[in-house]
Amino acid sequence: MPFIHGKGTLTDPFLISNQEQLEAMVLPENRAKCYRLVSDISLTGTWAPRQFQGSLDGGCHTISNLYFDSALSDSSFSGFFSVLGGNAVVENLRLKGRDGVLCQGGNNYDGLLAGALYRTGYTRIRRVVVTGAIHLGDGRGAGFIGYLTPSWSGSYHAQISECFSWADVTQGGGSSQHALWAGYSYSSYHDAISCCCGGTGVSRVYYTDASKDVSELDSPGEILNHPGWDFDNVWEIGPDGFPAFRREASSFVGPGRLSGSYPDG
């Protein structure tokens, strides 16, 4: 195992500083453990989308140069994660696509962060900024998450807060289920709080069932006026024009600050 520091628990997460460790994080034997990024990571090659049920605290760092191909996914969904499920937690992270390159969709549903939030457990996503471009081929999907599924129990199964997505979403034909935020959404089963999106290629925030509030912005800078975002302590507008973590942001945010239970090993 390539992890040098940590035990993979919430109180002592595995520390990730390179792509090899990031790839090991989503292996079947590791994907339900807890992790924390301790440096920015620029990806090389083609990322293979994998499922994740653990906890990832981005530590206010950036994973950049993302390019994935749905043909390499371990499921019928694709994104940086193919599926987020169980009690997955992703927080305090920037995810940037490779400049000038379209991530290749074409699966059941695709999204830059995840192809789907699945219907078991209670998934939490907080303070995640996603930017890039995705080509859906003949598939379905969106800039942020491809498919927000209903829970088996009929209760909430996801909480998404203080998240931002700006994407170029294109499609080669086939289904009309494509949008800026979610390609398909049973939004009565998830909370979206202080979330914003924008981009090009499509104009819809959701393909369907948009009863939860996700604001569509005409320009990235409008986020400065959006409620729920702390631009005094946590956020700033980066050189690329998108929200970025301030250098001192890690003093104001941290792992384990979301409601609910977390995986612990």
Side-chain angles (χ1 to χ4, degrees), residues 139-197:
R140 299 167 286 189
F144 191 63
I145 292 172
Y147 188 35
L148 288 161
T149 67
S151 67
W152 290 118
S153 64
S155 60
Y156 284 135
H157 79 292
Q159 180 190 85
I160 307 171
S161 59
E162 208 171 330
C163 290
F164 174 96
S165 172
W166 196 272
D168 178 16
V169 182
T170 59
Q171 191 185 41
S175 172
S176 63
Q177 295 180 18
H178 53 277
L180 292 172
W181 181 259
Y184 201 91
S185 171
Y186 290 89
S187 60
S188 57
Y189 296 107
H190 74 276
D191 266 330
I193 306 166
S194 297
C195 293
C196 303
C197 70

Side-chain angles (χ1 to χ4, degrees), residues 40-62:
D40 294 343
I41 298 174
S42 179
L43 300 176
T44 60
T46 302
W47 181 260
R50 295 289 181 265
Q51 300 175 48
F52 187 66
Q53 294 92 38
S55 174
L56 173 62
D57 173 28
C60 302
H61 290 291
T62 299

Side-chain angles (χ1 to χ4, degrees), residues 3 21 51 62 81 85 87 106 144 153 165 182 216 252:
F3 305 109
Q21 293 171 332
Q51 300 175 48
T62 299
F81 299 108
N87 291 314
F144 191 63
S153 64
S165 172
E216 182 176 356
F252 295 90

Side-chain angles (χ1 to χ4, degrees), residues 56-108:
L56 173 62
D57 173 28
C60 302
H61 290 291
T62 299
I63 297 172
S64 61
N65 207 36
L66 171 67
Y67 170 72
F68 66 78
D69 190 328
S70 63
L72 300 178
S73 178
D74 65 349
S75 76
S76 60
F77 305 96
S78 63
F80 178 71
F81 299 108
S82 60
V83 176
L84 285 171
N87 291 314
V89 175
V90 181
E91 58 183 340
N92 306 325
L93 177 68
R94 284 190 85 200
L95 182 64
K96 299 176 63 176
R98 188 169 300 172
D99 289 343
V101 177
L102 297 171
C103 290
Q104 293 299 308
N107 263 343
N108 191 5

Side-chain angles (χ1 to χ4, degrees), residues 7-11 14 29-34 54 262-265:
K7 297 179 180 179
T9 65
L10 180 62
T11 55
F14 287 129
E29 64 268 26
N30 297 330
R31 63 189 181 200
K33 299 184 182 298
C34 299
Y262 286 74
D264 192 33

